[in-house]
Amino acid sequence: MEIRSVRPDDLDAVIEICQSDHVNRGTMRLPVEPRAWVEKRIKEVPGTYKMVALRDGAVAGYGELVTYPDFPRHWHVAEVEMIATHPDHRGAGVGQELLDRMIDMADRWLQIRRLQLFVWTSNTSAIRLYESRGFRIEGTMKDFVFLDGAYADAHVMARLRPAPSSQDEG
């Protein structure tokens, strides 16, 4: 599987991903959004790393890692804004690959100490994935999202990386 930055020609595949039922249920997306909204979503934004996972040459997933370059006291924090899998590629490890790339970027390249996210409390498979990568539930927000005609709760989860140590060179 290849992970790379999203490109403008990925738009149609990202629209399919964002408008799929399982993504709508697990994110703040609406079932139908104007094309221009998704087009704007995949445009470059300083401090936001937008990526796609390719599987057999097709866009199989989309993810966003958000950092805070304009807030010096928050430089050590990043947020997993979205991990979404194309319906045709669910169960193939696409979400795991996107999350692993985000963790690698945060730990090895971006000097991120705190990596955080929100997840609906009913999304047990996502919670298990996040926990397997070191995320822990820090709290639960009641009535955080309106889903299927009712309010639903969300967990705040975070993964804290120890501060890097200096390397002795000799």
Side-chain angles (χ1 to χ4, degrees), residues 142-154:
K142 299 293 184 186
D143 294 348
F144 183 75
V145 65
F146 194 70
L147 176 64
D148 284 339
Y151 292 101
D153 301 342

Side-chain angles (χ1 to χ4, degrees), residues 17 33 47 49 76 87 110-111 121 125 129 146 164:
I17 291 168
E33 294 179 327
Y49 302 90
H76 67 289
L110 299 175
Q111 302 180 57
T121 58
S125 61
L129 170 62
F146 194 70

Side-chain angles (χ1 to χ4, degrees), residues 24-59:
N24 293 152
R25 294 184 54 73
T27 67
M28 294 289 208
R29 312 284 71 75
L30 295 173
V32 177
E33 294 179 327
R35 181 179 183 85
W37 288 9
V38 180
E39 195 169 29
K40 181 178 178 183
R41 173 172 214 108
I42 69 171
K43 286 188 187 238
E44 290 182 34
V45 175
T48 300
Y49 302 90
K50 301 173 184 192
M51 57 195 79
V52 292
L54 300 177
R55 188 167 172 256
D56 299 325
V59 174

Side-chain angles (χ1 to χ4, degrees), residues 104-122:
D104 180 69
M105 286 179 62
D107 286 357
R108 295 181 58 225
W109 303 101
L110 299 175
Q111 302 180 57
I112 299 301
R113 174 152 162 66
R114 177 185 174 81
L115 187 57
Q116 63 190 22
L117 56 87
F118 299 107
V119 60
W120 307 162
T121 58
S122 60

